[in-house]
């Protein structure tokens, strides 16, 4: 596994004074995800939790839905440190990945959706999958309809506290200033897990993948918080993992709002201090005051 950070020499200019100094940067490397031995996707990510990232990605693709769907995940030829099954190195982010390639093997009988088999895709650290599936594809492959999930209610006060709690858990961000983060909270505001990555969609995949490895899907009583905007890809990943509430510190996209409205996902954006916008699923937000029409 590569290093999460790297050091580079920079020229620093402050108030006209010029100096040289080392700077800590977040590492960005490609990861190829193979499915049952066949290349499926390449993503630019921060090394670490590679097995969880691959598992979470395949949850969003509708391939994996529970721990039993996954036979194992291994590093491909050239890896050191012994890539092993989900029960050991997979839970630790295991092994040393020389060639940045992982192979996910599904359990016998697991059906791979045709749309997954037909695509060989490249993703970046910023935009998620290019040419992503339509709203219809998400609706037809989701295993746990959010509208049928147990009732979850959160207060605006609870939501307002979450960004500070996420920020306090971003260890690598403190050293680099260059990472996105995603965190899972219980409906009572307890932090369940947090992951960092150069790509916000990768951070979410790492969260969801670890939940799958630990038998924790669906995440039907949780709140997902992301440090940035809420894109269609992030809304899709929440829906596919059965997460009822997605909150973001920045804006959502129009397609994310459409997906949230169609699936019943509660979508909160511009979560900053005590201010926030609820774009869909407002029934899960315990509003004390009446809503006025603007």
């Amino acid at each position: 596994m590569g290093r999460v950070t790297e050091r580079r020499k920079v020229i620093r200019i402050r108030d006209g004074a010029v100096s040289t100094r080392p700077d800590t940067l977040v590492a960005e490397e490609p990861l190829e995800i193979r499915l049952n031995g066949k290349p499926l996707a390449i993503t630019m990510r921060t090394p670490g939790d590679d097995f969880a990232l691959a598992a979470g990605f395949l949850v969003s693709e509708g391939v994996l839905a529970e721990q039993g769907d996954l036979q194992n995940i291994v590093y491909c030829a050239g890896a050191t440190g012994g890539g092993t099954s989900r029960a050991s190195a997979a839970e630790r982010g295991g092994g040393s990945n020389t060639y940045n390639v992982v192979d996910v093997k599904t359990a016998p009988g697991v059906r791979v959706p045709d749309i997954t088999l037909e695509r060989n895709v490249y993703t970046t650290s910023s935009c998620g999958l290019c040419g992503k599936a339509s709203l219809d594809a998400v609706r037809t492959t989701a295993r746990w309809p959010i509208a049928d999930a147990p009732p979850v209610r959160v207060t605006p006060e609870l939501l307002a506290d979450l960004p500070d709690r996420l920020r306090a858990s971003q260890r690598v961000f403190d050293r680099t200033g260059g990472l996105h983060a995603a965190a899972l909270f219980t409906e009572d505001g307890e932090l369940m897990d947090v992951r960092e990555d150069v790509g916000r969609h990768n951070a979410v995949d790492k969260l969801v993948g670890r939940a799958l490895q630990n038998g924790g899907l669906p995440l039907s009583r949780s709140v997902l918080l992301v440090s940035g905007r809420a894109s269609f890809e992030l809304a899709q990943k929440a829906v596919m993992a059965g997460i009822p509430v997605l909150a973001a510190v920045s804006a959502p996209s129009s397609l994310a709002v459409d997906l949230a409205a169609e699936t019943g996902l509660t979508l909160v954006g511009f979560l900053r201090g005590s201010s926030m916008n609820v774009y869909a699923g407002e029934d899960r937000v315990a509003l004390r005051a009446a809503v006025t029409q603007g």
Side-chain angles (χ1 to χ4, degrees), residues 1-6 26-32 42-48 50 53 97-100 125 197-198 202:
M1 182 174 65
R3 291 180 296 177
V4 175
T5 61
E6 296 181 4
V26 60
E28 182 176 24
E29 297 180 5
L31 177 71
E32 179 181 324
I42 298 174
T43 186
M44 299 301 297
R45 97 301 188 197
T46 300
D50 289 340
L53 190 162
N97 187 357
T98 303
Y99 292 129
N100 291 324
S125 59
D197 197 277
V198 70
N202 289 335

Side-chain angles (χ1 to χ4, degrees), residues 7-86:
R7 300 283 279 177
R8 295 287 190 275
K9 185 176 73 172
V10 300
I11 297 175
R12 183 177 182 179
I13 304 172
R14 294 292 185 275
D15 299 322
V18 180
S19 62
T20 60
R21 53 166 289 180
D23 193 21
T24 301
L25 306 177
V26 60
E28 182 176 24
E29 297 180 5
L31 177 71
E32 179 181 324
I33 300 172
R34 296 180 181 176
L35 179 60
N36 296 322
K38 297 181 179 180
L40 176 64
I42 298 174
T43 186
M44 299 301 297
R45 97 301 188 197
T46 300
D49 292 316
D50 289 340
F51 291 173
L53 190 162
F57 174 79
L58 290 172
V59 170
S60 68
E61 288 294 295
V63 177
L64 304 177
E66 56 188 37
Q67 190 178 32
D69 292 341
L70 178 63
Q71 179 170 308
N72 65 10
I73 305 177
V74 297
Y75 286 118
C76 294
T80 60
T84 58
S85 72
R86 64 176 184 266

Side-chain angles (χ1 to χ4, degrees), residues 229-233 235 250-259 267 279:
R229 61 186 178 86
S231 64
F232 170 75
E233 288 85 5
S250 191
S253 70
S254 61
L255 198 56
V257 175
D258 291 345
L259 178 60
L267 179 59
Y279 291 90

Side-chain angles (χ1 to χ4, degrees), residues 20-225:
T20 60
R21 53 166 289 180
D23 193 21
T24 301
L25 306 177
V26 60
E28 182 176 24
E29 297 180 5
L31 177 71
E32 179 181 324
I33 300 172
R34 296 180 181 176
L35 179 60
N36 296 322
K38 297 181 179 180
L40 176 64
I42 298 174
T43 186
M44 299 301 297
R45 97 301 188 197
T46 300
D49 292 316
D50 289 340
F51 291 173
L53 190 162
F57 174 79
L58 290 172
V59 170
S60 68
E61 288 294 295
V63 177
L64 304 177
E66 56 188 37
Q67 190 178 32
D69 292 341
L70 178 63
Q71 179 170 308
N72 65 10
I73 305 177
V74 297
Y75 286 118
C76 294
T80 60
T84 58
S85 72
R86 64 176 184 266
S88 54
E91 295 180 5
R92 302 191 301 268
S96 175
N97 187 357
T98 303
Y99 292 129
N100 291 324
V101 179
V102 298
D103 188 15
V104 181
K105 297 185 184 299
T106 56
V110 172
R111 178 184 172 276
V112 179
D114 292 339
I115 191 171
T116 300
L117 291 172
E118 291 169 357
R119 280 187 324 179
N120 186 296
V121 294
Y122 173 77
T123 80
T124 73
S125 59
S126 59
C127 70
L129 287 177
C130 300
K132 196 58 188 171
S134 66
L135 297 174
D136 289 341
V138 178
R139 183 174 61 246
T140 56
T141 56
R143 307 285 186 96
W144 304 287
I146 292 176
D148 298 338
V152 170
R153 294 273 284 177
V154 293
T155 65
E157 292 77 13
L158 183 147
L159 291 171
D161 286 342
L162 300 186
D164 286 343
R165 300 187 60 191
L166 171 60
R167 179 66 183 83
S169 301
Q170 290 186 254
R171 294 177 297 175
V172 181
F173 182 88
D174 286 336
R175 297 156 57 195
T176 66
L179 279 182
H180 288 290
L184 282 172
F185 295 88
T186 67
E187 59 187 308
D188 297 321
E190 178 184 351
L191 179 63
M192 300 165 62
D193 197 5
V194 60
R195 298 290 123 187
E196 293 180 286
D197 197 277
V198 70
R200 61 176 64 86
H201 61 285
N202 289 335
V204 173
D205 280 340
K206 290 176 179 181
L207 284 178
V208 173
R210 285 173 64 88
L212 178 129
Q213 291 170 337
N214 295 328
L217 293 185
L219 293 162
S220 56
R221 304 201 73 97
S222 64
V223 177
L224 172 62
L225 175 66

